Amino acid sequence: MTDTGSSDVIVIGAGHNGLVCASYLAAAGLSVRVLEARDCIGGAAVTEEFHPGFRNSVYAYSVSLLNPKVIQDLRLEEHGLEIMERPAGTLSLLDGDVLQLTRDGAQSREAIAKHSKRDAVRIDAFEAEISAVAIALRSLALKAPPNFGGGWRDALNLLQSGNQLRRLSTEHQVVLTELMTRSLGDHLDSWFESEALKGILGLEGVIGNFADPYQAGTAYVLLHHAFGEVKGRAGAWGIARGGMGAISDAIASSARSRGVQIETSAPVEKILTDAKGARGVITADGREFYAPIIAANLHPQLLLKKLLPHDALDETQHRRIDSYRSHSATFRMNVALSELPRFSALKSTDDFHFSGAIELCPSLGYMQNAYREAKDSGWSSRPIISLQIPSTQDDTLAPPGGHVASLFCQHFQRHLPNGQHWDEVRENVADQVINAIDEHAPNFRSSIVGRQIKTPLDIERDLNMVGGDIFHGALHLDQFYSMRPIPGIAGYRMPTRGVYLCGSGAHPGGGVSGLPGHNAAQAILRDR
């Protein structure tokens, strides 16, 4: 074994949350070393050239949840980060028609009225209701959740959380309860009659969520995605110039400017412990790094079942982490295009809609069929797709005249039935995804000059995301807040003293927010 010295903190994993945690700790004066298994930093927030001259975000692909406090505290704009809002909103592809909802309220109401005048009247109240509840919950995302059976600090956290929720009106408290317990489908059915509108709104509830839209508790994901903002506009979405890797690069630059050491190609095999708690880590090549504090930015099942000794958890905790659900059923593609897709049902001749999201999710019934087919057969042949063409706003991603498109697709199970294997079916499945878009834009397939495929198995292998889950575990009520990842260790502190979870398997969950890293750093500093 090679002794490589000591530091105050070792962060395992240079994904964006690990880098955020490292930068905050270094700003507080601690010496921090980050060890990353891959040969690059960023985790799921990376940009790669996937075809000569064409670059794009590989896994995460859109910006909204990145918290303004993290952006400001880490001075990310000074370190090169530029976020551009998607002004066009969302274009939904229907059967022979489209529904486009922009950031212009009058335009959206007019578009909705073509499908339902009643829905056009109701949409503002619906969005205001979601926004009011999301804003009230946003402050809770910046704090550690109280632990079951905790001490005075957990009791204080619980009291503060309760006071925050008391600020909601009685009606909004009822709405919060409905969103936490209702199905996505039932909630949207209670508001609207247009299938097209329910489809476009419902897509937010299935991003990274392998569930029937009528499964109880699925309405909550509407809130999770409403937490975000871009340049002060709540609920807005954007892109990072240079792709999602630009976010990771800016955070890493911030961390390095504060003295953080970052080493890639250094997979951690084991956390070293003694009677007092953590004392360091050992890497796959036998090197030992010493620190009394370990912040782990990795899937909670890998931390608790692989890196820590078996006796770190009691039998109840082992049972719970073994049954932790982790399967987002996500399939990602990037395609290099020689020209922009032309949608048959779109009457407009301008390209404004390309500076937004283009979605194939025409109804709740379509969503339900996609889930049921994937549950039975492994994947949906008529998938739910969110398509973006960021090169229409960011000319650094493609050569002149060319474009790149991101396709984020649901539902595709990690473990396929009937002995099928992803490495054998990946190209065929990718063709089915292309076919689904080609039905609406007949020039799409012929314009593709290169493509990159990331199946759920690829996501698991590339990023150590168990089950290919982009959120490090399902965001359902029993894996949320004080239940995340499991009851009793929800406040970032793991059972072994000095070990902390700073990744998306901790509160407030997945997405490129930086909040698990921020919150874990605050927990570490309080404990010191």
Side-chain angles (χ1 to χ4, degrees):
M1 301 294 179
T2 303
D3 182 347
T4 57
S6 63
S7 55
D8 293 324
V9 183
I10 293 170
V11 176
I12 304 173
H16 83 281
N17 275 310
L19 296 170
V20 166
C21 185
S23 189
Y24 273 107
L25 295 175
L30 302 184
S31 59
V32 184
R33 182 188 299 271
V34 180
L35 300 175
E36 166 59 41
R38 302 182 77 207
D39 61 2
C40 63
I41 66 164
V46 292
T47 305
E48 291 179 1
E49 183 178 70
F50 65 94
H51 187 73
F54 294 83
R55 311 163 55 238
N56 204 9
S57 307
V58 182
Y59 308 99
Y61 69 108
S62 195
V63 183
S64 177
L65 298 177
L66 186 60
N67 193 268
K69 185 177 188 299
V70 172
I71 295 174
Q72 180 177 353
D73 290 350
L74 273 55
R75 300 181 176 180
L76 297 186
E77 292 179 350
E78 294 177 27
H79 288 278
L81 179 63
E82 180 185 353
I83 296 175
M84 300 175 286
E85 186 178 351
R86 291 185 335 200
T90 303
L91 176 73
S92 181
L93 305 176
L94 310 175
D95 186 10
D97 199 358
V98 296
L99 172 60
Q100 183 165 13
L101 304 183
T102 68
R103 300 289 298 179
D104 181 337
Q107 180 279 330
S108 293
R109 288 190 295 274
E110 182 180 352
I112 294 168
K114 294 177 182 178
H115 297 267
S116 167
K117 290 183 171 56
R118 192 191 77 172
D119 290 356
V121 172
R122 289 187 172 187
I123 186 64
D124 287 348
F126 171 81
E127 292 186 339
E129 183 177 274
I130 293 286
S131 178
V133 177
I135 289 170
L137 292 183
R138 197 175 291 164
S139 63
L140 298 184
L142 279 161
K143 299 178 181 177
N147 260 319
F148 291 100
W152 64 268
R153 181 183 286 129
D154 293 288
L156 180 61
N157 281 350
L158 183 61
L159 180 62
Q160 291 173 336
S161 301
N163 285 338
Q164 185 66 35
L165 296 181
R166 282 173 57 195
R167 296 176 188 174
L168 288 169
S169 68
T170 300
E171 176 59 25
H172 285 153
Q173 290 178 24
V174 172
V175 171
L176 174 60
T177 303
E178 289 176 339
L179 288 168
M180 297 299 289
T181 56
R182 258 183 176 177
S183 77
L184 173 69
D186 286 331
H187 191 71
L188 293 176
D189 285 342
S190 74
W191 273 93
F192 305 114
E193 60 187 5
S194 164
E195 288 302 320
L197 180 59
K198 287 185 283 187
I200 201 172
L201 296 174
L203 183 135
E204 297 289 357
V206 297
I207 293 293
N209 186 20
F210 184 48
D212 187 301
Y214 285 92
Q215 176 179 314
T218 49
Y220 162 72
V221 184
L222 289 172
L223 274 181
H224 184 77
H225 290 291
F227 284 163
E229 62 181 83
V230 171
K231 297 182 178 179
R233 291 174 66 98
W237 291 81
I239 61 171
R241 180 175 292 278
M244 296 298 284
I247 296 176
S248 301
D249 289 343
I251 300 171
S253 177
S254 169
R256 289 188 176 109
S257 73
R258 295 170 172 181
V260 174
Q261 295 179 284
I262 302 173
E263 182 176 341
T264 57
S265 301
V268 171
E269 288 280 293
K270 181 181 179 182
I271 294 175
L272 302 173
T273 63
D274 57 22
K276 295 180 180 179
R279 65 182 186 88
V281 302
I282 182 169
T283 58
D285 59 5
R287 292 180 296 159
E288 293 187 0
F289 297 85
Y290 297 105
I293 298 171
I294 311 296
N297 179 31
L298 72 164
H299 194 283
Q301 286 179 316
L302 296 180
L303 171 62
L304 296 171
K305 299 295 291 184
K306 181 180 178 183
L307 297 192
L308 286 173
H310 185 272
D311 59 6
L313 279 67
D314 61 33
E315 288 308 307
T316 298
Q317 290 172 323
H318 273 292
R319 175 176 57 80
R320 284 183 170 140
I321 198 63
D322 285 343
S323 59
Y324 183 75
R325 296 188 309 285
S326 185
H327 46 255
S328 62
T330 299
F331 186 96
R332 272 284 280 121
M333 287 184 67
N334 285 323
V335 294
L337 300 173
S338 61
E339 64 177 349
L340 291 170
R342 299 300 172 192
F343 298 102
S344 304
L346 191 62
K347 297 179 176 62
S348 172
T349 57
D350 65 41
D351 291 337
F352 176 67
H353 53 279
F354 290 120
S355 58
I358 299 165
E359 297 179 351
L360 182 54
C361 187
S363 68
L364 291 173
Y366 184 95
M367 294 166 60
Q368 196 166 44
N369 289 338
Y371 169 77
R372 289 174 176 173
E373 183 182 8
K375 186 174 176 60
D376 293 339
S377 305
W379 69 86
S380 171
S381 61
R382 300 187 64 79
I384 300 163
I385 301 173
S386 178
L387 181 149
Q388 288 189 33
I389 305 182
S391 53
T392 58
Q393 292 178 266
D394 181 358
D395 61 8
T396 70
L397 300 177
H403 287 282
V404 294
S406 303
L407 293 91
F408 187 99
C409 315
Q410 299 282 138
H411 291 290
F412 301 80
Q413 290 208 61
R414 159 63 183 88
H415 298 284
L416 300 177
N418 306 319
Q420 299 177 100
H421 193 280
W422 272 114
D423 289 342
E424 298 169 352
V425 302
R426 56 188 286 120
E427 298 294 338
N428 176 50
V429 173
D431 287 340
Q432 292 179 15
V433 171
I434 298 301
N435 290 342
I437 298 296
D438 213 53
E439 288 181 12
H440 297 270
N443 71 322
F444 188 62
R445 175 178 291 280
S446 61
S447 69
I448 295 173
V449 297
R451 68 187 190 184
Q452 179 184 49
I453 302 167
K454 294 295 179 182
T455 70
L457 176 58
D458 292 324
I459 295 170
E460 180 178 87
R461 287 189 299 211
D462 294 353
L463 303 175
N464 275 328
M465 291 181 171
V466 176
D469 195 311
I470 59 170
F471 290 159
H472 285 204
L475 279 170
H476 296 164
L477 193 57
D478 61 339
Q479 293 185 179
F480 169 77
Y481 201 50
S482 293
M483 303 284 283
R484 191 170 187 87
I486 59 173
I489 55 171
Y492 311 100
R493 301 168 183 86
M494 296 294 99
T496 299
R497 182 179 177 85
V499 179
Y500 298 79
L501 179 63
C502 67
S504 294
H507 173 72
V512 181
S513 70
L515 290 181
H518 166 278
N519 295 354
Q522 306 315 307
I524 290 168
L525 295 173
R526 280 195 299 269
D527 288 351
R528 284 179 59 88

